[in-house]
Structures are given as structure tokens and as C-alpha cells.
Amino acid sequence: MASNKKVLIWLYVVFIYILAFTIWWARLLFTKNQESYVEKIELLAMQNEVSKEEFLKNENSKDITKKFKRQELMIYTEGSAFIVLIVIGFVLVRRSIVKELTLAERQKNFILSITHEFKSPLASVKLVQQTLQKHELNEAQKNQLIDNSLYDLERLTGLVDNMLLAAKFEGDLSGFSLQEIDLSKTVESILKRYQVIKKKNVEIVTRILADLVCMADPAGIMSLVVNLVDNAIKYSDESSSVYVELSQTQNQILLMICDTGYGIPTLEKKRIFDKFYRIGSEETRKSKGTGLGLYIVKNIVALHKGVIEVKDNQPKGTKFIVYLPSIQNLTLN
Ligand code: ADP
């Protein structure tokens, strides 16, 4: 990271040096060309025993002036072309260094958040186990503790799944396979789990059209739904509601997840799908996350040759719409 910053500083120094050097050389050539022209005209005027002004009216001087102008133009154009090439090179190199710097920064944040995300549920599960071991608890208390542990373990599983999926998208896609699945049943069974382990007391309202079949990777589709619904809950206030709809248009299956949460500013809507990207807002900082969820969602949608849109929900919140082709003979690349 620090060495990357040094490289960036060096790039600026080298760029400014080359630019200044080029301008200085161009100016020098320009002056030399002018001086040599004036000297030549003066010498020839002297040899012809006429004044400089009179010699310039002479036909012989026209060739010399033409050659001088041509050389002047050459210095201008070649100098400008060189400067343009340097600027383009500088912009390209700078862009790739800045990109790496940003990724390194996000990776650093990811390591920090992942450490925290692993540690806190593990500590909480350990505490529950110790409590169950050391204390005499009634049935209701036991069930409450077990529910909490299940929630934490679910979070850990989701975290590991996301990391494995993100790694898969970096390599080859042979781990994925499309098969005919009943999407309606898959989505329903995922949403049922949210009813059991209620998060933030958020109510999930559903409208699922039955018997929607498509070619999909089961684990991929599950991760897509879980990541979108998890986010809808995570970035909403306590006791709000999330709306999930599964429907069909002529040749597409449409999955819509709407929340009435904090919303996503227009400028951020494109960036949220980048790997490790998290919006720098107070609401995002307050909630746990790794910035991998939507990166995975984007890749799963692409794998199924689908499209994902993110819009503002009315009157507030966010709406994610996934369009999946309902064509039966979809194959992986
Ligand atoms: P994270 O692990 O941070 O949730 P994601 O890749 O799932 O990572 O999301 C990237 C960022 O997009 C989040 O950090 C959050 O700022 C924003 N975001 C995602 N979904 C929502 C939503 N439903 N409402 C508001 N912000 C969202």
C-alpha cells in the first residue's frame, strides 16, 4: 500500500520531469531554428549586397522561408504528439495504480471486517455453550439461547459460503451446474427460514407465483436470494417490512426484493456491485458486512444470463429486481 503510494509520487515526478524536458527541448529547437533562419537571411543579404528586407522580397528567399516554416511546423506537431502520448501514458498508468490502491484499501477493510465477523458469533456461541453447561435453565431459557446460537451459526455459514462463492468466481466456473429447479419452491423454503429466525423483527411479505421452473444452479440461486434478503433486512430499521415477489413475464422470471430502509444514493448504485465495496455511510458502518454479497449476486445473475436492476423504492428504501431467462436450454459458457 505504502509502496504503491510511493510509485504514484514517482509517477508524478517522472511525468512532470518528462513534460518540462519536452517543452524545454521544443522551445530550444524552435529558437535555434529561428536563429539559423535569421542568420542565413542576413548572410545571403550581405552576399547579395542588399538589405534584409529587400532580400526577403527576392524569389531565392522564398525557399529558405518555406523550409524554415516547415521545420517550425514539424517542431510544433512532433512536440505536441509527444506530449499527448506522454499524457495518455500517464493517465493510463495512474488509473491502474489508483485502481490497485482502492482495491488494496478495500481488501484491508475486508480483512478487518471478516476478522470481526468471525470472532463475534464464535464468541457468542461459546458463551451460550458455557451458560448451558454451568447453569440450570428452564426450557424456555434454553430454547432462547439455542435460537441465538442457531442465528449466529447461520451467519457464520453464510459468511463462509460467500467467501467460497467469491473465490469460485475468481477461478473457473466448472463448480456450477445448471439444472431444472422449481424456483417458486426454492424461494419459498429460503423465506420460511427467515420466519423461524426473525431478524430485527422485520416482517417478510411475499407474493410467490407457484410452479415457476427454470434452469439454475441451486446453491447459486440460494445465495442470490439470501444475500438480497439479508441486505434488505440489514439496511432497514427495526420492525419494518420487506416485500419479496416472484412472478413471470413473457420469457423472463422476475424476482423483486423491496425494502423501506436507508436507500442507496444514485452515485453509489453502480459501485455497490464491486468486490469488497461498502458505502461509506453511517448506516453501513453501523452494520456488519464484507462487501462480498452484491459482488456474488452480480456474478450469479451473469452466470444465469440474467439482468439485475437497483432502483429507489417508494416512498423510501431500495428495490432490487432480478430478471432470469425462463428459457429451458440455458447452458454455462
Ligand atoms: P455488505 O457485506 O456490506 O452488505 P454487499 O456487497 O452485500 O456488502 O453490499 C454492498 C453495499 O451496498 C453495502 O455495504 C450497503 O452499503 C449497500 N446496500 C446493499 N443492499 C442495500 C439495501 N437493500 N439498502 C441499502 N443499502 C444497501
Side-chain angles (χ1 to χ4, degrees):
M1 177 78 178
S3 69
N4 265 339
K5 271 195 179 143
K6 267 189 207 156
V7 171
L8 203 59
I9 293 169
W10 266 111
L11 182 74
Y12 277 110
V13 171
V14 170
F15 172 70
I16 292 168
Y17 176 73
I18 295 178
L19 199 67
F21 195 69
T22 310
I23 293 170
W24 183 76
W25 266 105
R27 236 183 88 83
L28 193 75
L29 278 175
F30 191 75
T31 322
K32 286 275 167 222
N33 186 42
Q34 210 159 28
E35 278 171 9
S36 112
Y37 171 70
V38 172
E39 269 169 24
K40 210 179 250 173
I41 293 290
E42 277 173 356
L43 192 74
L44 287 170
M46 230 161 70
Q47 276 175 1
N48 287 298
E49 293 173 349
V50 287
S51 73
K52 217 171 85 183
E53 288 72 27
E54 267 175 70
F55 181 74
L56 281 171
K57 286 178 200 150
N58 186 325
E59 268 307 306
N60 288 345
S61 74
K62 292 228 167 92
D63 277 350
I64 300 167
T65 309
K66 224 190 234 169
K67 198 175 161 200
F68 160 70
K69 294 268 184 215
R70 211 182 312 126
Q71 273 171 344
E72 204 174 49
L73 187 72
M74 210 174 82
I75 297 167
Y76 267 133
T77 48
E78 286 190 4
S80 317
F82 193 60
I83 288 173
V84 169
L85 285 179
I86 294 170
V87 172
I88 292 174
F90 170 77
V91 170
L92 290 179
V93 175
R94 188 188 168 279
R95 193 186 291 167
S96 80
I97 293 176
V98 168
K99 209 171 154 186
E100 252 191 50
L101 276 173
T102 319
L103 196 66
E105 181 66 30
R106 283 193 210 153
Q107 246 158 350
K108 196 181 93 191
N109 290 341
F110 168 74
I111 302 284
L112 288 176
S113 62
I114 203 91
T115 314
H116 182 258
E117 290 247 337
F118 268 113
K119 268 182 148 178
S120 69
L122 281 176
S124 134
V125 170
K126 190 176 164 192
L127 193 71
V128 167
Q129 299 303 316
Q130 285 169 341
T131 313
L132 287 172
Q133 197 179 39
K134 286 183 191 154
H135 301 278
E136 279 295 319
L137 302 171
N138 62 35
E139 210 54 31
Q141 287 171 320
K142 268 189 205 163
N143 284 342
Q144 178 64 48
L145 285 178
I146 289 169
D147 273 355
N148 290 348
S149 280
L150 277 177
Y151 173 70
D152 283 323
L153 290 173
E154 190 114 338
R155 251 182 60 203
L156 272 179
T157 313
L159 206 63
V160 174
D161 284 349
N162 267 358
M163 288 176 73
L164 290 176
L165 267 174
K168 262 192 189 176
F169 286 115
E170 298 294 304
D172 74 318
L173 302 176
S174 59
F176 296 99
S177 73
L178 300 186
Q179 48 186 274
E180 203 173 287
I181 63 162
D182 185 331
L183 198 58
S184 310
K185 281 204 179 117
T186 309
V187 173
E188 259 168 4
S189 75
I190 296 169
L191 296 178
K192 233 178 233 159
R193 285 201 301 180
Y194 286 93
Q195 315 290 0
V196 180
I197 307 169
K198 260 203 162 184
K199 298 181 184 178
K200 282 169 91 175
N201 207 23
V202 170
E203 188 193 5
I204 300 185
V205 180
T206 61
R207 188 167 164 265
I208 313 284
L209 196 67
D211 304 325
L212 289 182
V213 177
C214 77
M215 295 296 287
D217 178 81
I221 284 295
M222 187 154 147
S223 171
L224 178 141
V225 179
V226 168
N227 274 304
L228 290 177
V229 177
D230 271 355
N231 278 351
I233 299 172
K234 193 158 66 167
Y235 301 110
S236 292
D237 287 322
E238 283 274 342
S239 309
S240 50
S241 68
V242 167
Y243 175 70
V244 182
E245 181 182 313
L246 188 70
S247 54
Q248 193 175 30
T249 63
Q250 222 172 19
N251 52 7
Q252 280 176 322
I253 291 179
L254 197 144
L255 172 70
M256 186 161 76
I257 288 136
C258 308
D259 64 64
T260 51
Y262 314 131
I264 300 175
T266 310
L267 271 179
E268 299 282 8
K269 284 197 175 82
K270 267 193 186 156
R271 301 186 194 141
I272 50 170
F273 294 98
D274 290 352
K275 197 175 182 184
F276 305 133
Y277 189 80
R278 305 198 76 215
I279 297 177
S281 66
E282 188 55 32
E283 289 87 3
T284 296
R285 252 180 272 129
K286 269 193 300 194
S287 55
K288 291 164 191 158
T290 55
L292 279 181
L294 290 181
Y295 167 75
I296 289 167
V297 167
K298 174 187 79 175
N299 278 289
I300 293 169
V301 172
L303 186 81
H304 292 82
K305 299 191 171 60
V307 173
I308 184 161
E309 281 179 358
V310 52
K311 293 179 177 173
D312 291 333
N313 190 31
Q314 295 308 329
K316 71 190 273 258
T318 313
K319 188 193 283 186
F320 281 91
I321 310 170
V322 179
Y323 301 90
L324 296 173
S326 53
I327 310 155
Q328 300 294 307
N329 56 356
L330 188 68
T331 47
L332 287 178
N333 281 333

